[in-house]
Amino acid sequence: MSKVFVLGGTGFLGYYTIKELLSKGYKVKTMALPPMPTDDLLPLEVECSLGNINELTDEEIRLSLKDCEGFIYAAGADERIVPQKPALKFFYEANVLPTQRLARLAKEAGIKKFVVFGSYFAEFAERMPEYHLRNQAYPNTRLLQEQVAFAEGEGSMIVTSLRLPYIFGTISGRMPLWKMYTDQVKGKSVYPVLKGGTAMVTVEQVAEAAVGAMEKGKHRHTYAISALNMKFQDFFQMMVDALGQSETTQVPVVDYEKMKPVYEEIDRNAAEKGLEHGMHMVVSTKLQTEDLYLNPQDTMSVLGIKDHDVLQSIKDTLAKCVEVH
């Protein structure tokens, strides 16, 4: 039975990845930032240490990894963070540099398989060059994160990347990140959306994809996973329903050009505060006029992703977001 190191094992994605690994008979070691969401989150057989792996020496990391064969990188900063500008510097230091260092040290420690949790914005940066997403900090650094990991593994470690879309599910002790959106919809009589749509998966499917990529993935391959494609209008209508506002809130599809001054103002306000979005609002919202869809069949059988009830997972996630405490 081989052992796998999961970076970020007490986080949403890392926790479910650990569950999937244990169900497949792997031993698991993890390191994650404190505090634990709940004291009993992880089974006792998981070797868990709390702390910032980036503060360890190279030798300490190599020592920690020497009994492992796989490494799953379930950590990093996503596009919902609005950092101090320049955003490129923030996402480079948050996602690229640590990945490069850990991929190098993993290889030196004898790790054979290395899986990166990336973003589907890297996929659309390649598929939709007309949006120039490579010029935006977040997609740019997600692409760079993959490339440095691939390069570090060259010749001795199989490195793959999962390009993840919208993800749903819940974890004990943590509020879903979707709460920031249900909070925006709460109490509104009108919540306008753009005409596009997005790919979606459950967190269990991300975990299955991670283990599948580790077991069957090919070096330098990227896997843009999906299980369901949905229009933004339908998704935000589900938020309205979860909030009990079906009778009072409309979710109309609006024209991007009419809304563009609003998005430009958000970018201006951020700049005045010394902040910068990883994708400027005028760009990320224009992208929402497109169907950011992925074909589930491209990856499900390849990685062993099972069918899950994505709609029910969305409902459960939104129900938790709107709970009254």
Side-chain angles (χ1 to χ4, degrees):
M1 190 194 309
S2 62
K3 188 182 286 188
V4 179
F5 186 96
V6 178
L7 181 63
T10 66
F12 180 48
L13 303 183
Y15 167 71
Y16 278 91
T17 301
I18 287 176
K19 278 182 67 172
E20 180 68 13
L21 286 164
L22 293 174
S23 77
K24 291 281 191 79
Y26 289 95
K27 291 180 178 175
V28 179
K29 181 184 281 193
T30 187
M31 187 167 194
L33 295 171
M36 291 284 278
T38 59
D39 290 340
D40 59 350
L41 182 72
L42 296 173
L44 292 174
E45 67 262 35
V46 176
E47 296 177 49
C48 178
S49 56
L50 296 180
N52 186 344
I53 198 167
N54 298 319
E55 294 173 357
L56 300 183
T57 66
D58 285 7
E59 187 51 41
E60 285 171 331
I61 293 172
R62 280 191 292 262
L63 201 59
S64 184
L65 299 181
K66 69 177 176 51
D67 60 343
C68 299
E69 291 178 40
F71 189 113
I72 295 177
Y73 194 103
D78 79 9
E79 79 283 0
R80 285 170 282 207
I81 295 171
V82 185
Q84 294 286 315
K85 63 180 183 184
L88 185 66
K89 180 178 189 291
F90 170 83
F91 286 107
Y92 179 70
E93 291 175 352
N95 291 337
V96 182
L97 290 180
T99 304
Q100 182 173 24
R101 180 182 181 226
L102 289 168
R104 173 177 62 82
L105 294 172
K107 173 187 64 184
E108 290 171 3
I111 296 279
K112 297 300 178 200
K113 307 283 185 71
F114 192 100
V115 180
V116 177
F117 281 8
S119 167
Y120 82 156
F121 289 115
E123 182 75 15
F124 292 109
E126 293 178 342
R127 288 195 191 191
M128 303 164 75
E130 66 274 20
Y131 278 86
H132 306 289
L133 293 180
R134 291 173 186 271
N135 297 336
Q136 299 291 312
Y138 184 73
N140 176 305
T141 51
R142 282 302 197 182
L143 287 163
L144 193 53
Q145 177 187 34
E146 293 176 341
Q147 290 303 316
V148 297
F150 294 156
E152 289 293 349
E154 207 68 22
S156 58
M157 183 171 73
I158 294 172
V159 183
T160 55
S161 176
L162 296 181
R163 292 176 167 178
L164 304 176
Y166 285 23
I167 304 163
F168 298 91
T170 60
I171 177 175
S172 181
R174 290 193 194 276
M175 181 56 70
L177 292 171
W178 298 110
K179 181 172 165 53
M180 65 187 284
Y181 294 99
T182 57
D183 284 351
Q184 290 171 12
V185 176
K186 191 173 185 178
K188 295 266 180 26
S189 57
V190 178
Y191 193 86
V193 295
L194 294 161
K195 66 180 182 180
T198 181
M200 300 172 160
V201 290
T202 70
V203 67
E204 291 88 354
Q205 289 169 318
V206 173
E208 289 162 1
V211 178
M214 188 184 68
E215 291 177 342
K216 298 178 266 194
K218 295 180 180 175
H219 183 54
R220 286 189 169 270
H221 275 232
T222 60
Y223 300 93
I225 71 170
S226 173
L228 179 72
N229 294 310
M230 182 187 289
K231 288 286 189 180
F232 291 117
Q233 185 181 37
D234 294 331
F235 177 42
F236 280 91
Q237 185 62 49
M238 290 182 75
M239 291 193 196
V240 167
D241 295 344
L243 286 159
Q245 296 175 195
S246 306
E247 302 294 318
T248 55
T249 304
Q250 293 181 310
V251 187
V253 173
V254 293
D255 179 65
Y256 171 78
E257 290 302 324
K258 285 183 182 171
M259 295 293 290
K260 190 177 178 183
V262 175
Y263 307 136
E264 288 172 335
E265 181 64 18
I266 294 170
D267 283 331
R268 266 197 305 274
N269 285 342
E272 284 170 9
K273 293 173 185 170
L275 305 175
E276 186 182 17
H277 290 262
M279 285 190 291
H280 291 170
M281 284 295 290
V282 287
V283 176
S284 63
T285 49
K286 184 78 184 343
L287 206 55
Q288 288 175 25
T289 63
E290 302 280 357
D291 288 330
L292 303 177
Y293 290 173
L294 300 166
N295 185 348
Q297 301 315 314
D298 289 347
T299 53
M300 288 188 86
S301 59
V302 174
L303 299 179
I305 302 169
K306 300 184 184 76
D307 281 320
H308 289 260
D309 191 338
V310 184
L311 278 175
Q312 189 59 51
S313 184
I314 297 170
K315 289 175 185 174
D316 293 343
T317 305
L318 297 178
K320 183 158 184 178
C321 290
V322 303
E323 277 177 6
V324 178
H325 294 288

